[in-house]
């Protein structure tokens, strides 16, 4: 098998040590197998994506000593692919418009909880003659979709064969009110279109794979192998994130830190003083 991995950051802020660790995991796995490593900029969120963040991403990865094999791709230039996928799912009768806000869902007493919080209770499912001139998102009827595909599995390097359970996520959004595609749809379509053989990403995205596997089956897309790697922990023991005070790569770079040396320490599981070990 020709190994092809990708690192796919969103240019909505600066990269931090957790991003660096994830990029190294994808880069090193591909390079160790003589494969390809691709950089994809997930800039589909037009309200938060910034050109200066794109420039910083490129500078940070170059500073770490990482190189990608082709010109970086941008989701904002691939909207037609997502629309085609939505059209196919709509033709199957699997999509429905949703007019609910997050506040509406949070306030609903009938909303059960899933991996990411309250599940959508199906308020707009089955609406007759909905007014599509109103702002709306598009949700997938997951129960109907699962009935169509039957049982599904995927292979994960750290968990062997995994039984997909998309029902645990409820009727997720595939096209938002303010964006032409959701993360779930865009990443699934892009990984297939780019021939990604192994999806190397953080363990925090393991649960999302249940939805991605469903979409692959519905759209007749290949299923890559998944490698959900461990995460870096911040001083508070929580997953390393900007809100937990994670230092940005830009700040370290501008402070004169040696990028390749930092990359080697991260490969060994070593992080700056005050940050915890790599957590599973």
């Amino acid at each position: 098998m020709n190994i092809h991995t990708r690192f796919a950051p969103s240019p909505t802020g600066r990269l931090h040590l957790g991003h660096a660790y994830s990029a190294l995991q994808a880069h090193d796995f591909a390079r160790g197998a003589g494969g390809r490593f691709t950089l994809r900029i997930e800039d589909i969120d037009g309200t938060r994506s910034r050109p200066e963040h794109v420039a910083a991403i490129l500078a940070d990865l170059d500073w770490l000593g990482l190189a990608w094999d082709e010109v970086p791709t941008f989701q904002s230039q691939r909207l037609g692919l997502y629309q085609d996928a939505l059209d196919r799912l709509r033709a199957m009768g699997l999509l429905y418009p949703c007019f609910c806000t997050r506040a509406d869902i949070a306030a609903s007493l009938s909303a059960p909880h899933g991996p990411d919080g309250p599940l959508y209770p199906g308020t707009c499912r089955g609406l007759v003659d909905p007014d599509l001139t109103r702002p709306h998102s598009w949700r997938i009827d997951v129960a109907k979709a699962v009935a169509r595909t039957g049982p599904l599995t995927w292979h994960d390097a750290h968990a062997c064969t995994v039984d997909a359970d998309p029902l645990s996520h409820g009727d997720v959004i595939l096209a938002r009110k303010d964006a032409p595609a959701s993360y779930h749809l865009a990443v699934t379509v892009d990984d297939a279109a780019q021939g990604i053989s192994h999806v190397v990403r953080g363990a925090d995205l393991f649960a999302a794979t249940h939805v991605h596997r469903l979409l692959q089956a519905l759209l007749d897309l290949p299923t890559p192998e998944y490698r959900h790697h461990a995460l870096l922990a911040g001083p508070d023991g929580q997953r390393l994130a900007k809100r937990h005070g994670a230092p940005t790569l830009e700040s370290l770079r501008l402070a004169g830190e040696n990028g390749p040396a930092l990359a080697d320490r991260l490969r060994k599981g070593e992080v700056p003083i005050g940050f915890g070990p790599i957590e599973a």
Side-chain angles (χ1 to χ4, degrees):
M1 175 187 290
N2 294 321
I3 303 299
H4 186 186
T5 67
R6 47 71 167 178
F7 177 56
S10 298
T12 56
R14 297 301 200 250
L15 300 184
H16 55 63
L17 289 171
H19 294 119
Y21 182 71
S22 190
L24 286 163
Q25 291 289 310
H27 172 274
D28 292 356
F29 180 73
R31 291 292 183 254
R36 296 159 57 206
F37 173 66
T38 290
L39 176 61
R40 182 169 75 224
I41 305 297
E42 298 195 339
D43 61 341
I44 202 166
D45 188 338
T47 61
R48 298 174 57 220
S49 298
R50 296 286 183 270
E52 58 268 26
H53 295 325
V54 175
I57 288 170
L58 300 179
D60 289 341
L61 295 179
D62 181 65
W63 169 69
L64 288 170
L66 304 187
W68 42 95
D69 291 302
E70 51 222 12
V71 175
T73 58
F74 291 78
Q75 285 188 332
S76 58
Q77 300 172 2
R78 304 166 67 82
L79 303 185
L81 291 176
Y82 314 140
Q83 187 59 56
D84 289 345
L86 287 168
D87 289 343
R88 288 184 61 188
L89 295 170
R90 191 176 291 109
M92 296 176 198
L94 299 178
L95 300 187
Y96 63 89
C98 176
F99 304 90
C100 298
T101 65
R102 290 184 179 179
D104 293 334
I105 298 170
S108 174
L109 297 178
S110 62
H113 273 64
D116 302 315
L119 296 184
Y120 182 64
T123 308
C124 293
R125 191 190 311 119
L127 286 178
V128 177
D129 195 23
D131 180 7
L132 298 183
T133 63
R134 296 168 52 204
H136 60 279
S137 58
W138 287 94
R139 292 184 181 272
I140 182 169
D141 187 327
V142 173
K144 187 183 292 187
V146 168
R148 184 184 182 101
T149 65
L152 299 168
T153 63
W154 82 82
H155 186 266
D156 194 285
H158 301 295
C160 299
T161 300
V162 181
D163 293 322
D165 181 20
L167 288 169
S168 64
H169 288 259
D171 292 355
V172 296
I173 290 176
L174 295 188
R176 301 189 342 233
K177 296 176 183 178
D178 58 350
S182 70
Y183 166 76
H184 293 304
L185 181 69
V187 73
T188 302
V189 170
D190 284 340
D191 285 341
Q194 294 186 279
I196 301 302
S197 66
H198 290 69
V199 173
V200 182
R201 61 187 182 191
D204 54 322
L205 291 170
F206 180 92
T209 314
H210 293 282
V211 177
H212 302 171
R213 183 66 190 92
L214 176 65
L215 294 176
Q216 290 159 2
L218 292 169
L219 297 169
D220 299 317
L221 301 177
T223 302
E225 180 172 318
Y226 289 88
R227 302 178 69 87
H228 290 97
H229 61 72
L231 305 175
L232 293 187
D236 56 1
Q238 300 297 312
R239 176 173 64 91
L240 198 62
K242 182 178 179 181
R243 64 180 177 276
H244 297 141
T248 66
L249 299 186
E250 183 183 55
S251 67
L252 297 172
R253 174 164 51 86
L254 295 179
E257 184 89 39
N258 184 294
L262 174 62
D264 285 341
R265 294 200 301 274
L266 288 173
R267 289 184 174 103
K268 298 174 184 177
E270 301 171 1
V271 293
I273 294 174
F275 288 82
I278 295 173
E279 297 287 344

